[in-house]
Amino acid sequence: MRAVRLEAVGSIKLREVDKPVPGPDELLVRIEACGVCGTDRHLFHGEFPCRPPVTPGHEFSGIIEAVGNAVSGFAVGDRVTGDPNIACGRCPYCHAGRVNLCRNLSAIGIHRDGGFADYVVLPQKQAFVLPADLPPTHGAFCEPLGCCLHGVDLAEIKPGSSVIVLGGGVIGLLTVQLARLAGATTIILSTRQASRRALAEELGATATVDPTVADVIDAIAGPAGLAPGGADVVFECAGVRETVEQSMRLARAGGTVVIVGVTPQGMKAEFEPFDLLFRELKVVGSFLNPYTHRRAAELIASGAIEIERLISRQVPLEEAAEVIANPPAPGEVKVLVVPSRLSSLATLATGETVDDNLSSR
Ligand SMILES: [Zn+2]
Ligand SMILES: [Zn+2]
């Protein structure tokens, strides 16, 4: 089968590899779609811990092609989404129910081979069945949606809450939708790109701000702003220093800041401890998707979350390495890798390189 291999930091190639064999408790899943995530780009640039060689891709869904002999509750032909984050179940954090903090976390697409390939092996405890009539690309959104759900859970949004979302990528746009479902009545999104602002307003944002023309703090939290004094909840979904610093200034006194965006490891941001104290801000990190994957799958299966308009383009496996090695195109929200399209071209000999070395950007 074909697999996109991260062979070292800065080097990613499409290779022909052996088709994996599922263990007794595992499913062999034929990938229908796998989303390209900022984390994949961080892996490529060595900004997120990982030990190559590995096949990235942690936002995937597909059809079960084979099951191990100890598998129950799943059948060949079922459509499934995979929760890529495998907790050990026996460390102090797992025992405390904090599975996303597991000290032995093994993530599909980071520590073990993932979904930028024709097939992935998925432990049955990480699999969730999706409806057969769901568009085959939508299941790839369960993982990012599950991460956003965790952030929204931590934020404790109540009906009537005011919410600010910084960043208009897929995480920001999913968070807008979840905030709306959670009952927020004011939802303000800030992002540089006009197409993303327009999309955010279609998906439930009550107002948007262009940080390139307005002072974000003033435009939102200023006396004549959209939410004078700030909002109950601020989601940092951009993962850059500027928005991390803005987030704490945009929360109202007693408000909550949720850090969802993945900043490069080692990046620093400034804040004023006095401000946190004086205004009793709560700043929480939201990491991964503990126990939220099933709800994410339910939300997507129900159609409660708009997915179609988040898909900017679909590319074959042959183009995946290039997409991962380059920054997203302007206005792009989510790129999906869809292996089946060019599967007829999969006639390469084992070990043959089928893509240029993209080590130099
Ligand atoms: Zn991701
Ligand atoms: Zn653990």
Side-chain angles (χ1 to χ4, degrees), residues 35-40 58-59 143-144 147 170-171 334:
V36 177
C37 168
T39 301
D40 298 313
H58 58 274
E59 304 178 357
E143 197 274 347
C147 294
V170 72
I171 296 296
K334 180 60 81 180

Short mmCIF file of all heavy atoms in Angstrom, two decimals, residues 35-40 58-59 143-144 147 170-171 334, ligand 1:
data_model
loop_
_atom_site.label_atom_id
_atom_site.label_comp_id
_atom_site.label_asym_id
_atom_site.label_seq_id
_atom_site.Cartn_x
_atom_site.Cartn_y
_atom_site.Cartn_z
N GLY A 35 -7.61 14.28 7.45
CA GLY A 35 -7.41 15.72 7.44
C GLY A 35 -5.97 16.11 7.72
O GLY A 35 -5.31 15.51 8.56
N VAL A 36 -5.50 17.14 7.02
CA VAL A 36 -4.19 17.73 7.31
C VAL A 36 -4.41 18.78 8.40
O VAL A 36 -5.29 19.62 8.29
CB VAL A 36 -3.58 18.39 6.06
CG1 VAL A 36 -2.25 19.06 6.41
CG2 VAL A 36 -3.39 17.36 4.95
N CYS A 37 -3.58 18.67 9.45
CA CYS A 37 -3.74 19.48 10.65
C CYS A 37 -2.47 20.28 10.87
O CYS A 37 -1.39 19.89 10.42
CB CYS A 37 -4.01 18.51 11.81
SG CYS A 37 -3.93 19.21 13.44
N GLY A 38 -2.60 21.39 11.59
CA GLY A 38 -1.41 22.16 11.94
C GLY A 38 -0.37 21.31 12.65
O GLY A 38 0.83 21.51 12.48
N THR A 39 -0.83 20.32 13.42
CA THR A 39 0.10 19.45 14.13
C THR A 39 0.98 18.67 13.14
O THR A 39 2.15 18.43 13.40
CB THR A 39 -0.68 18.48 15.05
OG1 THR A 39 -1.44 19.26 15.96
CG2 THR A 39 0.25 17.57 15.82
N ASP A 40 0.42 18.29 11.99
CA ASP A 40 1.23 17.59 10.98
C ASP A 40 2.36 18.49 10.49
O ASP A 40 3.49 18.04 10.27
CB ASP A 40 0.35 17.15 9.81
CG ASP A 40 -0.73 16.17 10.24
OD1 ASP A 40 -0.41 15.22 10.96
OD2 ASP A 40 -1.90 16.38 9.86
N HIS A 58 -3.77 11.93 11.86
CA HIS A 58 -4.51 11.51 13.06
C HIS A 58 -5.99 11.88 12.97
O HIS A 58 -6.72 11.67 13.93
CB HIS A 58 -3.86 12.12 14.31
CG HIS A 58 -3.79 13.61 14.28
ND1 HIS A 58 -2.74 14.27 13.69
CD2 HIS A 58 -4.63 14.56 14.70
CE1 HIS A 58 -2.96 15.57 13.77
NE2 HIS A 58 -4.11 15.78 14.37
N GLU A 59 -6.41 12.44 11.85
CA GLU A 59 -7.83 12.83 11.70
C GLU A 59 -8.42 12.03 10.55
O GLU A 59 -8.51 12.50 9.43
CB GLU A 59 -7.91 14.34 11.39
CG GLU A 59 -7.22 15.21 12.42
CD GLU A 59 -7.27 16.69 12.07
OE1 GLU A 59 -7.81 17.04 11.00
OE2 GLU A 59 -6.77 17.49 12.87
N GLU A 143 -12.02 13.99 15.09
CA GLU A 143 -10.91 14.27 16.01
C GLU A 143 -10.78 15.75 16.31
O GLU A 143 -10.79 16.15 17.48
CB GLU A 143 -9.60 13.67 15.47
CG GLU A 143 -8.51 13.55 16.54
CD GLU A 143 -7.68 14.81 16.71
OE1 GLU A 143 -7.75 15.72 15.85
OE2 GLU A 143 -6.96 14.90 17.71
N PRO A 144 -10.69 16.63 15.29
CA PRO A 144 -10.63 18.06 15.65
C PRO A 144 -11.87 18.53 16.41
O PRO A 144 -11.76 19.34 17.34
CB PRO A 144 -10.48 18.77 14.30
CG PRO A 144 -10.77 17.77 13.24
CD PRO A 144 -10.51 16.42 13.85
N CYS A 147 -11.53 17.64 20.03
CA CYS A 147 -10.62 18.57 20.73
C CYS A 147 -11.35 19.86 21.07
O CYS A 147 -11.20 20.40 22.17
CB CYS A 147 -9.39 18.85 19.87
SG CYS A 147 -8.35 17.39 19.63
N VAL A 170 -9.87 25.80 11.21
CA VAL A 170 -10.92 24.81 11.44
C VAL A 170 -11.28 24.73 12.93
O VAL A 170 -12.45 24.58 13.28
CB VAL A 170 -10.53 23.43 10.86
CG1 VAL A 170 -9.43 22.77 11.67
CG2 VAL A 170 -11.74 22.54 10.74
N ILE A 171 -10.30 24.88 13.81
CA ILE A 171 -10.58 24.81 15.25
C ILE A 171 -11.45 25.99 15.67
O ILE A 171 -12.44 25.83 16.40
CB ILE A 171 -9.24 24.76 16.05
CG1 ILE A 171 -8.47 23.48 15.73
CG2 ILE A 171 -9.50 24.88 17.55
CD1 ILE A 171 -9.14 22.19 16.13
N LYS A 334 -9.69 23.47 5.75
CA LYS A 334 -9.23 22.09 5.96
C LYS A 334 -8.96 21.44 4.61
O LYS A 334 -9.79 21.46 3.72
CB LYS A 334 -10.29 21.29 6.73
CG LYS A 334 -9.94 19.84 7.01
CD LYS A 334 -8.67 19.67 7.84
CE LYS A 334 -8.88 19.85 9.32
NZ LYS A 334 -7.62 19.67 10.09
ZN ZN B 1 -5.26 17.56 14.45
#
